[in-house]
Amino acid sequence: MKRQKRHSPSKDVWVFGDYRNYFQNRVTLQLIAKGRELARTLGGKVTVLVLGAQVHQYAMEYVAHGADMVMVVDHQDLMDFQVETYTRIVTSLVEDYRPDIFLAGATPFGREFFPRVAKRLKTGLSTDCIALEVDPENQLLLQTTPSFGGELLAEVITQDHRPQMATVHPGVFEERPHDHQAIGRISYPEVDIARDNRVQLVRSRPEQGKKGRLEDAPVVVVGGWGVNSKEQFQMLSELAELLGGEVGATRPAVRAGLAEEGRLLGQTGKKIKPKLLITVGTSGALQYTTGIQGAETIIAINRDAQAPIFKMADLGLVGDAGSILALVLDKLRKRI
Ligand SMILES: Cc1cc2nc3c(=O)[nH]c(=O)nc-3n(C[C@H](O)[C@H](O)[C@H](O)COP(=O)(O)OP(=O)(O)OC[C@H]3O[C@@H](n4cnc5c(N)ncnc54)[C@H](O)[C@@H]3O)c2cc1C
């Protein structure tokens, strides 16, 4: 499609289509649903921008989940995500089409790539937003994001520069159901794909390990700093296994090497919505609870009866983590 340069900004909302795995793809679908709501308020449309090689099926998927339009840049050289190339192409498309709002998932790639795009466009970026609304008074995007280490929630607006850019964690918004009859336009803008040769991808392979995905687990057992030994973390793993679930962790536990970074929950980790969450030796800091507030039932174990985690727990057990875990495991092992 011949690119038409716009001279005035549009009221459209753009979403960056990150489709590399289930986790990235879900946040794109969630942003389409939110973007659609924002676009309707502004009187615009929601467009998903997809870069890659042979990505047509993703474009169809985005339409089925509510995109009015999908802009596809399809080229063999875009097979692998290269931050330099993606930044250059996306920046030039935004300059040409001038969307009002541009959203991306707060995934590792979104975190690396979106600030670069914002810098080149000389606009603001709110990261890790937990709410997005259009202010009916002035049609500006209200971007709510934790600040001062999560102590405060800041409401940010981008007054003068465009687009208004934000990243959002997976799980903050709900995706729309798949509608195979949905109608949307798919366009192929003309883009100069010249390769940026500064970085060459030599090899890529998926993370090793047979553990399941935290985001899909019906039961998650979380270890915090109160479970500060390998032996006790092993007890958490056994409990998770017996309950058909997965193990999550807070930042101090990850930092101590008791769990991998991929197990981190919270503001800078994953956000999950299991049916049952058992949180052991965690104080209940906001940066952590942001990641678990979607859980249906929460059981907290902490030796301090005043720990803030008990305020959000459906059931609280006050006592030593090691002793309670040993007791529960003993009972469960006998039942199975
Ligand atoms: C910008 C920023 C982002 C952050 N992002 C995240 C994030 O994404 N995820 C995250 O988790 N943290 C994050 N943090 C850190 C966060 O502020 C907290 O420090 C962290 O969540 C606390 O983890 P915790 O509850 O395991 O440890 P602590 O706060 O140290 O709590 C340990 C708890 O264990 C209890 N305890 C101790 N011993 C026992 C025992 N034997 N039996 C039972 N209970 C016991 C204690 O009573 C205490 O309540 C972030 C911080 C900043 C500044």
Side-chain angles (χ1 to χ4, degrees), residues 149 224-226 250-252 264-269 281-285 287-288 301-304 307 319-321:
W225 190 230
T250 60
R251 173 60 74 196
L264 175 68
L265 298 171
Q267 183 187 327
T268 48
T282 62
S283 58
Q287 294 91 345
Y288 161 60
I301 301 173
N302 195 305
R303 68 178 177 192
D304 174 8
D320 174 61

Side-chain angles (χ1 to χ4, degrees), residues 277-297:
L277 182 122
I278 304 175
T279 180
V280 190
T282 62
S283 58
L286 182 67
Q287 294 91 345
Y288 161 60
T289 55
T290 307
I292 60 161
Q293 60 199 7
E296 266 177 44
T297 302

Side-chain angles (χ1 to χ4, degrees), residues 29-322:
L29 303 184
Q30 292 152 10
L31 290 178
I32 293 171
K34 186 67 192 179
R36 192 180 155 103
E37 190 189 305
L38 300 171
R40 296 297 183 262
T41 313
L42 292 167
K45 297 200 177 322
V46 62
T47 294
V48 184
L49 178 58
V50 192
L51 275 63
Q54 288 153 25
V55 284
H56 187 74
Q57 88 263 25
Y58 297 108
M60 302 293 285
E61 185 71 4
Y62 294 150
V63 169
H65 279 271
D68 298 304
M69 179 152 123
V70 183
M71 201 177 269
V72 182
V73 182
D74 201 314
H75 194 280
Q76 203 50 36
D77 287 352
L78 299 176
M79 170 85 93
D80 301 309
F81 277 69
Q82 293 280 2
V83 75
E84 285 290 332
T85 318
Y86 273 60
T87 302
R88 182 175 53 74
I89 294 173
V90 169
T91 306
S92 93
L93 286 168
V94 171
E95 281 169 341
D96 285 350
Y97 290 88
R98 303 182 67 188
D100 197 32
I101 294 172
F102 193 13
L103 308 175
T107 58
F109 185 72
R111 287 209 178 106
E112 186 185 7
F113 142 83
F114 235 43
R116 291 169 190 245
V117 174
K119 174 79 169 59
R120 293 203 192 167
L121 293 168
K122 297 190 171 58
T123 187
L125 169 67
S126 299
T127 55
D128 299 336
C129 286
I130 56 164
L132 295 171
E133 294 302 331
V134 171
D135 185 339
E137 296 264 307
N138 51 22
Q139 306 269 288
L140 290 173
L141 182 68
L142 297 173
Q143 306 147 42
T144 308
T145 176
S147 61
F148 293 103
E151 294 297 317
L152 294 174
L153 285 180
E155 231 170 44
V156 181
I157 54 164
T158 311
Q159 181 91 43
D160 300 318
H161 298 267
R162 290 293 177 274
Q164 302 163 88
M165 291 178 62
T167 64
V168 179
H169 262 283
V172 171
F173 301 124
E174 292 279 336
E175 67 190 61
R176 288 166 62 88
H178 186 280
D179 173 5
H180 69 277
Q181 288 181 319
I183 295 172
R185 258 184 69 207
I186 299 179
S187 75
Y188 295 86
E190 262 179 23
V191 173
D192 174 18
I193 315 275
R195 256 182 176 280
D196 302 288
N197 282 326
R198 289 204 298 174
V199 177
Q200 228 185 322
L201 183 71
V202 180
R203 188 160 53 109
S204 97
R205 56 193 162 90
E207 211 177 327
Q208 297 298 306
K210 58 178 175 43
K211 287 187 195 125
R213 286 169 27 86
L214 267 176
E215 298 89 328
D216 302 332
V219 179
V220 174
V221 182
V222 185
W225 190 230
V227 188
N228 57 9
S229 72
K230 280 217 156 85
E231 293 69 31
Q232 287 195 6
F233 245 82
Q234 191 47 46
M235 290 165 98
L236 290 183
S237 300
E238 189 182 345
L239 179 59
E241 204 173 312
L242 289 171
L243 296 173
E246 292 293 330
V247 173
T250 60
R251 173 60 74 196
V254 170
R255 201 177 290 139
L258 294 165
E260 300 150 19
E261 182 76 26
R263 300 276 127 189
L264 175 68
L265 298 171
Q267 183 187 327
T268 48
K270 290 177 179 163
K271 292 188 170 52
I272 53 168
K273 296 178 177 173
K275 286 198 176 310
L276 173 65
L277 182 122
I278 304 175
T279 180
V280 190
T282 62
S283 58
L286 182 67
Q287 294 91 345
Y288 161 60
T289 55
T290 307
I292 60 161
Q293 60 199 7
E296 266 177 44
T297 302
I298 298 179
I299 300 177
I301 301 173
N302 195 305
R303 68 178 177 192
D304 174 8
Q306 305 304 320
I309 192 69
F310 287 128
K311 289 196 185 119
M312 74 182 297
D314 299 282
L315 178 71
L317 300 176
V318 180
D320 174 61

